Amino acid sequence: MTDASVRTTRTPTWILVAIGGFFALFYAYALWQAVGNTIQAAQIGLNALGWLIWIFAILFPVIAFAVSFALSYRRGVAIYALVLLSGLGLVAVFWLNVIAYTSLNTSSLVA
């Protein structure tokens, strides 16, 4: 068997866009929730730690999606979807940690 007879097929771009767009909606929802909670928390006044936590809560879904996408878009469809799903799970765990920390330690986050 020669190298010319071995042919690799690439995944069609529209499938990658559809899967990425589907997961991007969930990442965007986490981002939207973080922005909404940041605005709500800013109305009561935040100190530097409060701003740091909420700004990182806004940035984390974007960072997680970018890293998940960069690690997996050249692999197969199943691996691409699983890596995006695991990144979304990481965002969900981080979001629960932010909610738990800010609800239990509100007095240390307000100015």
Side-chain angles (χ1 to χ4, degrees), residues 44-68:
I44 61 172
L46 292 173
N47 61 12
L49 179 62
W51 281 109
L52 178 73
I53 289 172
W54 285 113
I55 288 174
F56 191 63
I58 291 171
L59 295 177
F60 191 75
V62 176
I63 294 168
F65 182 78
V67 169
S68 298

Side-chain angles (χ1 to χ4, degrees), residues 61-82:
V62 176
I63 294 168
F65 182 78
V67 169
S68 298
F69 178 80
L71 288 176
S72 64
Y73 78 98
R74 290 189 182 184
R75 294 176 178 23
V77 174
I79 293 174
Y80 179 59
L82 286 175

Side-chain angles (χ1 to χ4, degrees), residues 13-62:
T13 305
W14 71 269
I15 293 175
L16 295 176
V17 169
I19 292 170
F22 175 74
F23 281 103
L25 290 174
F26 291 106
Y27 283 95
Y29 178 75
L31 175 72
W32 186 255
Q33 287 296 317
V35 169
N37 285 351
T38 303
I39 292 170
Q40 189 176 21
Q43 291 175 355
I44 61 172
L46 292 173
N47 61 12
L49 179 62
W51 281 109
L52 178 73
I53 289 172
W54 285 113
I55 288 174
F56 191 63
I58 291 171
L59 295 177
F60 191 75
V62 176

